[in-house]
Amino acid sequence: MRKTGPGHVRIIAGSLRGSKLPVPDADGLRPTGDRVRETLFNWLQNRVEGRRALDLFAGSGALGFEAVSRGAADAVLVENHPPAAALLRASRERLKAERLQVVQADALVWLAGNADRRFDLVFLDPPFASAHWPRLWPLLLPLLDEGALVYVEAPALPALPEGMTALKDGKTRESRYLLAQWQKPAVG
């Protein structure tokens, strides 16, 4: 993401294009860079419209806001850090992004308590120091619709669970990222 000044990023395209999102000063919070975000949404092309999105470690909310800006049916942004969640709620109100829901909660606890929810576009960009992957996948997979698209960004890419196929990947100096698709493995 392009920094628009100290502590801000800008939505790249869609109905909210050019809108600024504040970036709180919090340990481990680093918004997805402009070029990476642009690459991701180029990969997604016309596959955002009408999707139900989940931005699980929302931070600045740039991925979830960008998805809604580009036509996602709705998006849930889950952020554990109280000041960051407050900024997300303020941005939602300021931008009148009614199709966006902000939840202040631990990501893994939220996943465990929302097994009845379904998503077909998921953004996973946890704090780089975290080791969530082994616990995250079993909680997330039941919430995915067949064919769901899942974006992962990390310093090193985690092993993907069975049924998750990498479609595209890239890297920066600090991180690796990929877009994958979920297909429930055949039983028996």
Side-chain angles (χ1 to χ4, degrees), residues 23-138:
V23 178
D25 185 17
D27 286 344
L29 188 113
R30 30 138 214 84
T32 298
D34 244 6
R35 289 185 182 146
V36 172
R37 196 161 37 102
E38 193 165 349
T39 297
L40 167 62
F41 282 93
N42 283 339
W43 290 346
L44 292 171
Q45 288 287 334
N46 300 322
R47 299 168 84 177
V48 175
E49 185 80 30
R51 297 260 182 175
R52 293 174 320 277
L54 172 62
D55 190 349
L56 192 55
F57 301 89
S60 70
L63 295 172
F65 274 93
E66 191 78 43
V68 167
S69 180
R70 293 173 185 244
D74 54 56
V76 175
L77 280 64
V78 179
E79 175 54 48
N80 195 35
H81 186 253
L87 285 174
L88 291 171
R89 284 191 293 275
S91 292
R92 177 192 183 279
E93 295 306 313
R94 178 176 48 83
L95 299 175
K96 297 176 177 52
E98 291 87 15
R99 295 175 300 159
L100 195 137
Q101 176 188 3
V102 176
V103 177
Q104 182 186 329
D106 173 89
L108 299 179
V109 171
W110 186 87
L111 286 173
N114 283 278
D116 60 332
R117 304 286 299 261
R118 293 293 174 271
F119 298 95
D120 47 17
L121 179 59
V122 176
F123 303 106
L124 301 174
D125 184 8
F128 279 5
S130 70
H132 290 306
W133 301 108
R135 296 184 334 247
L136 185 142
W137 292 125

Side-chain angles (χ1 to χ4, degrees), residues 4-20:
T4 59
H8 288 86
V9 293
R10 190 180 301 273
I11 297 173
I12 296 172
S15 63
L16 301 174
R17 180 182 181 171
S19 299
K20 294 178 183 179

Side-chain angles (χ1 to χ4, degrees), residues 107-184:
L108 299 179
V109 171
W110 186 87
L111 286 173
N114 283 278
D116 60 332
R117 304 286 299 261
R118 293 293 174 271
F119 298 95
D120 47 17
L121 179 59
V122 176
F123 303 106
L124 301 174
D125 184 8
F128 279 5
S130 70
H132 290 306
W133 301 108
R135 296 184 334 247
L136 185 142
W137 292 125
L139 295 170
L140 176 65
L141 297 181
L143 279 67
L144 299 180
D145 278 340
E146 280 292 311
L149 297 169
V150 178
Y151 170 76
V152 174
E153 185 174 343
L157 292 174
L160 296 177
E162 182 182 1
M164 190 78 66
T165 304
L167 302 175
K168 303 214 180 230
D169 65 84
K171 65 181 177 177
T172 67
R173 284 182 301 211
E174 298 85 24
S175 68
R176 301 284 318 242
Y177 55 94
L178 70 80
L179 181 64
Q181 188 164 34
W182 167 249
Q183 295 295 332
K184 193 173 191 173

